[in-house]
């Protein structure tokens, strides 16, 4: 995960990253499900980057790449 994006406010407006309690719950659930938090973070960042596009061309291979990091 690119911490600079969080520090620059890229996701800091979202409760899962802005609220300490929500972040703790996210981390706990991710730990229980064996999903790295950075995978969730990258998925959200990718969606936010592409939300202005009318079509999601090319987004699915990127999702597969990100999700492929889960053991």
């Amino acid at each position: 995960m690119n911490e600079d994006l969080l520090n620059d406010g890229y996701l800091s407006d979202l409760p899962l990253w802005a609220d300490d309690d929500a972040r703790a719950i996210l981390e706990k659930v991710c730990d229980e499900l064996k999903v790295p938090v950075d995978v969730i973070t990258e998925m959200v960042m990718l969606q936010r980057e592409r939300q202005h596009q009318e079509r999601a061309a090319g987004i699915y291979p990127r999702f597969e790449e990100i999700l492929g990091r889960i053991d």
Side-chain angles (χ1 to χ4, degrees):
M1 171 176 59
N2 188 340
E3 290 293 331
D4 290 336
L5 291 174
L6 293 177
N7 293 337
D8 291 342
Y10 192 77
L11 297 177
S12 64
D13 62 318
L14 299 175
L16 285 177
W17 286 270
D19 181 84
D20 291 336
D21 292 333
R23 177 68 184 225
I25 292 169
L26 172 65
E27 291 173 357
K28 179 183 176 203
V29 170
C30 283
D31 187 51
E32 289 172 3
L33 298 174
K34 309 287 190 259
V35 175
V37 174
D38 67 322
V39 167
I40 302 299
T41 302
E42 285 192 49
M43 297 285 286
V44 172
M45 288 181 354
L46 179 60
Q47 180 60 38
R48 290 191 108 189
E49 289 171 0
R50 303 283 186 107
Q51 68 186 358
H52 68 282
Q53 295 177 340
E54 191 171 310
R55 297 186 58 145
I59 199 168
Y60 296 112
R62 183 69 179 115
F63 279 158
E64 288 178 15
E65 179 184 326
I66 294 168
L67 292 172
R69 293 197 329 255
I70 299 173
D71 295 328

